[in-house]
Amino acid sequence: MNDDVYLYTGITSVVIPDSVVSIASGAFKNNAALKSVKLSANLEKMGAGAFSGCTALAAIEIPAKLKVLSSDTFAGCTALAKVSLGAVEEIEQYAFEGCTALKTITLPASVAVCEVLAFEGCTALEKILVDKANKVYSSTKDGVVRCANEEGKFDTIAIYPAGKKGAYAVPAEITKIADKEFYNCDALTAITFAEGFDSIGNEAFFDCDALLTITLPEGARNVGDYAFASCNELREFIVNSNLTEYP
């Protein structure tokens, strides 16, 4: 079957029949009246921005056969508060951008790739949990996602919830922060690192408007390009490191 669902606006509820295997890009885009959706059990593909801008959509359950959530799929769904990710394997950039009602979400064991900006602008998101059977990602008690290195050690912060408020102390087992990891995390006020921490990725803290204090440990050796760019409220940068150059 190659059935596609195309652009519809003005409807409040949708049940997509199980004969449908694909939803076109932007199919329900900017349908501000749409409150509920039941997806086809046989859905295998959902195009970019399929439900973006559906500001009344409150919940979504992803069927087991859908493996990739494309970019902007639910971007701007400001009422979306409940998400079940089924057996998704990949979540692309901005898939849930600006879902400002989303407070918590669980990544299933199947997720192997979750792009760092998949939840960008989710300002209420305080906790991201990960199924314990997942081999690539794990979550700390406070809902911060780590990813594994080649040896299987979870030593890198991969996803930080944008709605997590206040100061954050990076756990001792973490040695790296990925590129754009804290990008636009406007609720973060201070960051400290344990001894043994090594590197900060490019644009890691870009545009963290509430960030006031950063403390780098002695072991820090690598700070990426624009790591603290546009942190306009930054007042204190404490360096306990032999690092002499900062991009």
Side-chain angles (χ1 to χ4, degrees), residues 14-228:
V14 171
V15 177
I16 299 175
D18 291 346
S19 59
V20 173
V21 298
S22 175
I23 296 177
S25 297
F28 296 89
K29 185 176 181 178
N30 294 333
N31 186 341
L34 186 60
K35 294 181 179 181
S36 67
V37 174
K38 187 180 187 302
L39 296 172
S40 162
N42 293 309
L43 189 66
E44 298 177 355
K45 180 182 177 182
M46 192 151 55
F51 291 92
S52 63
C54 293
T55 53
L57 184 63
I60 195 72
E61 184 173 346
I62 305 300
K65 290 185 178 182
L66 184 65
K67 302 303 181 184
V68 178
L69 275 183
S70 301
S71 60
D72 300 304
T73 300
F74 298 103
C77 293
T78 52
L80 189 62
K82 186 176 181 181
V83 177
S84 175
L85 289 172
V88 163
E89 296 176 357
E90 181 176 355
I91 305 173
E92 295 185 352
Q93 300 278 50
Y94 308 116
F96 293 95
E97 180 188 17
C99 292
T100 52
L102 191 62
K103 293 183 177 181
T104 184
I105 193 168
T106 298
L107 303 184
S110 55
V111 171
V113 176
C114 185
E115 299 288 353
V116 69
L117 296 181
F119 300 98
E120 203 272 329
C122 294
T123 53
L125 186 60
E126 298 177 348
K127 185 177 290 188
I128 303 173
L129 304 176
V130 181
D131 189 293
K132 291 182 179 180
N134 194 297
K135 304 295 185 183
V136 178
Y137 298 104
S138 71
S139 56
T140 60
K141 292 180 180 179
D142 54 358
V144 176
V145 178
R146 306 170 296 180
C147 63
N149 62 19
E150 293 178 355
E151 299 173 352
K153 294 176 62 177
F154 292 96
D155 68 343
T156 302
I157 293 181
I159 312 170
Y160 188 86
K164 192 171 178 59
K165 298 178 177 65
Y168 182 65
V170 177
E173 65 270 21
I174 298 298
T175 62
K176 299 177 183 178
I177 289 178
D179 293 350
K180 299 183 178 180
E181 176 45 48
F182 292 83
Y183 193 100
N184 201 25
C185 287
D186 289 342
L188 180 70
T189 58
I191 185 93
T192 57
F193 304 86
E195 291 301 326
F197 183 83
D198 179 70
S199 62
I200 297 173
N202 297 331
E203 301 182 53
F205 294 91
F206 190 95
D207 202 25
C208 291
D209 288 340
L211 186 60
L212 300 173
T213 304
I214 297 166
T215 304
L216 285 179
E218 184 176 350
R221 292 293 181 269
N222 302 290
V223 176
D225 293 340
Y226 304 105
F228 305 104

